[in-house]
Amino acid sequence: MKRLLYIVPVALFGVVIAAFIVGLNHDPSKLPSMLIGKPLPAFDLPAVRAGDVGMKSADFRGTPMLLNVYASWCVSCRLEHPTLLQLKAEGVPIQGLDWKDNAADGAQYLAKNGDPYQLTGNDKSGRTGIDLGVTGVPETFVVDGHGIVRYKFIGPIAPEDWTNTIKPIMDRLKGQS
């Protein structure tokens, strides 16, 4: 009986250590998305800038493109912004979703930093982001020419992320169109 009093705490400690080790080996940027292989949820968002056209789920037809979720208050979004501008210069179609932000703040952010997006919709309430499964910003979805989500990238896109991960997916989808 005394021996059992020593073995149980040691065994429990071993289980806790094993759980921590498994957790340390888990990459939080590789959270699965329930949308992979499914159509974008229906949405119709107002424009960020007055006089611009808003953005709706029906706009994601014809060619593979990126849907980048950003916000003017997002520090990490500022890190990826130069990469997005470079991708735009290379002809990559990118749509922007201004998440949980005032439209005027989103417009000011784009005016100050440059606009990498073809269309930008304002999701002030965050409802569209919830429907997309957004957990934070920035997040980027690869959407095929039929409006189907094919990949979700969590965090700021760095040039090597584009080259090694996202671009090969986009190239494969273009080849299927």
Side-chain angles (χ1 to χ4, degrees):
M1 185 67 171
K2 280 186 172 184
R3 193 173 230 184
L4 191 59
L5 289 174
Y6 293 110
I7 293 174
V8 170
V10 170
L12 287 174
F13 181 73
V15 168
V16 169
I17 293 299
F20 281 130
I21 290 170
V22 168
L24 288 173
N25 291 324
H26 176 73
D27 185 354
S29 70
K30 296 191 178 177
L31 293 173
S33 173
M34 299 307 285
L35 282 180
I36 303 298
K38 297 181 181 171
L40 280 173
F43 61 85
D44 188 354
L45 297 172
V48 169
R49 291 179 289 256
D52 281 1
V53 175
M55 183 179 66
K56 54 189 176 297
S57 51
D59 295 324
F60 290 83
R61 300 282 190 269
T63 186
M65 61 187 78
L66 302 178
L67 172 58
N68 179 254
V69 183
Y70 79 99
S72 66
W73 46 264
C74 168
V75 175
S76 296
C77 297
R78 295 177 196 281
L79 294 174
E80 85 170 346
H81 206 78
T83 302
L84 296 177
L85 290 170
Q86 180 60 42
L87 294 178
K88 178 184 180 178
E90 294 172 13
V92 176
I94 310 170
Q95 315 299 359
L97 181 108
D98 185 22
W99 188 59
K100 292 188 176 181
D101 204 2
N102 290 315
D105 294 337
Q108 184 179 14
Y109 172 82
L110 295 176
K112 179 180 177 185
N113 298 296
D115 187 352
Y117 308 116
Q118 293 176 333
L119 297 172
T120 310
N122 179 254
D123 183 23
K124 183 176 180 176
S125 72
R127 181 73 235 173
T128 299
I130 290 170
D131 292 344
L132 289 167
V134 172
T135 57
V137 284
E139 288 186 14
T140 303
F141 297 85
V142 176
V143 183
D144 72 13
H146 303 287
I148 307 293
V149 176
R150 295 300 176 185
Y151 184 75
K152 178 181 179 181
F153 187 88
I154 298 173
I157 297 172
E160 59 272 11
D161 298 319
W162 168 252
T163 302
N164 298 330
T165 305
I166 302 169
K167 185 178 187 309
I169 295 168
M170 292 287 286
D171 288 345
R172 181 174 45 83
L173 292 173
K174 284 180 194 171
Q176 293 174 358
S177 295

